[in-house]
Amino acid sequence: MKLINIATAAYILTSGVNAFASESPTMLIPGELDTEALFAASSFAIKPNDLVVRAKEVLSPAIGIGTKDDGACLADDFEFCAAVVGPIPKDEYLDALKSFSLDDSFDIQQNYYGFNVDPMQTNRVWFFTRQIATHVNDFVGVKPTGKEITMPPQLMHMDFNEDGQVKEFGFYTVDRRQGTTGGLGGAFGYFYGVGKPLPFPEAKPYKPSFRFRTLQFVGAVAKKFKGSKKE
């Protein structure tokens, strides 16, 4: 086995072959979707690569997911829906963003990556963001601090209609232990980041409920008691 591994490594190094690249079809593991087949069978008018391009256009500073183009990129039946907010309709979404302009108060690096089309819902684009923002102007009465705010990684999605307009936009924190906002994403993270968390539980870092903490305690005691009986 060791000789085989050495020979394989020597072949890769001497031939410049990428060990992870192949002209043969990609091997599918059990349970993995055949994305090529699903995309080929899709009846959605916009092809995956073009849909990713459209998503990036909508995210661009010129459009800003409807905030810079007066909502022209948003479908009439658009909804915003995140983990604890929404669904809210187009007009309410635009009004909410106008009430506080994050771009005016923070220097924001969006750090987008990982754009891909959902093979089981081919009008949806998924992508990640790992925002880093510097507080440079007044925000909800807080003077600029120069403080750097690091958001947790967030998974975002956009659903499109066949005219290329956004039908739904939303996002979810995928690792609440990262960043400096207590696991909060979206606007909640900015409020918390400047020391002005909104006054309800959903806008504050996650804290287990009393019932859940009690259940965990009872489970830990029962486990310990069961272990001592075996001894």
Side-chain angles (χ1 to χ4, degrees):
M1 180 64 71
K2 186 178 291 186
L3 288 174
I4 293 174
N5 290 339
I6 292 172
T8 302
Y11 173 75
I12 293 170
L13 290 172
T14 56
S15 64
V17 173
N18 184 340
F20 299 100
S22 172
E23 294 181 1
S24 60
T26 304
M27 180 188 74
L28 297 177
I29 62 172
E32 182 181 2
L33 293 175
D34 187 340
T35 57
E36 292 184 6
L38 289 168
F39 288 140
S42 172
S43 60
F44 188 62
I46 306 174
K47 298 303 180 185
N49 288 342
D50 295 330
L51 198 62
V52 168
V53 169
R54 178 56 181 159
K56 292 181 179 182
E57 289 175 350
V58 172
L59 290 168
S60 71
I63 297 179
I65 322 176
T67 62
K68 307 298 183 183
D69 67 345
D70 294 323
C73 69
L74 308 179
D76 290 339
D77 59 348
F78 168 87
E79 289 184 324
F80 172 83
C81 189
V84 298
V85 177
I88 61 176
K90 177 178 179 177
D91 290 342
E92 190 175 335
Y93 161 79
L94 293 173
D95 288 343
L97 293 182
K98 287 176 183 176
S99 66
F100 55 89
S101 179
L102 295 177
D103 288 338
D104 291 341
S105 301
F106 300 91
D107 180 11
I108 304 173
Q109 300 175 44
Q110 293 290 352
N111 298 325
Y112 296 123
Y113 67 98
F115 289 82
N116 66 90
V117 174
D118 190 327
M120 297 184 70
Q121 184 182 338
T122 53
N123 72 325
R124 171 169 289 197
V125 177
W126 295 100
F127 55 99
F128 289 89
T129 179
R130 299 196 65 150
Q131 295 175 353
I132 299 174
T134 304
H135 184 202
V136 294
N137 282 311
D138 289 6
F139 180 66
V140 294
V142 179
K143 298 296 182 182
T145 60
K147 179 181 179 182
E148 185 174 271
I149 298 170
T150 303
M151 294 288 189
Q154 297 172 88
L155 178 59
M156 299 191 166
H157 73 272
M158 284 187 197
D159 296 352
F160 291 85
N161 62 24
E162 296 199 344
D163 293 323
Q165 291 180 305
V166 182
K167 287 175 58 67
E168 181 176 308
F169 171 60
F171 54 86
Y172 306 84
T173 293
V174 295
D175 189 345
R176 60 184 170 84
R177 299 197 300 172
Q178 296 196 27
T180 60
T181 63
L184 297 169
F188 291 172
Y190 288 94
F191 281 96
Y192 182 86
V194 299
K196 283 268 197 169
L198 295 172
F200 44 87
E202 291 82 358
K204 296 179 181 178
Y206 168 74
K207 182 180 179 181
S209 67
F210 174 76
R211 288 185 178 182
F212 188 47
R213 295 198 306 271
T214 301
L215 183 63
Q216 287 180 311
F217 175 75
V218 171
V221 170
K223 184 177 181 181
K224 187 174 181 180
F225 179 71
K226 185 177 180 180
S228 63
K229 284 185 67 176
K230 287 183 179 180
E231 294 175 0

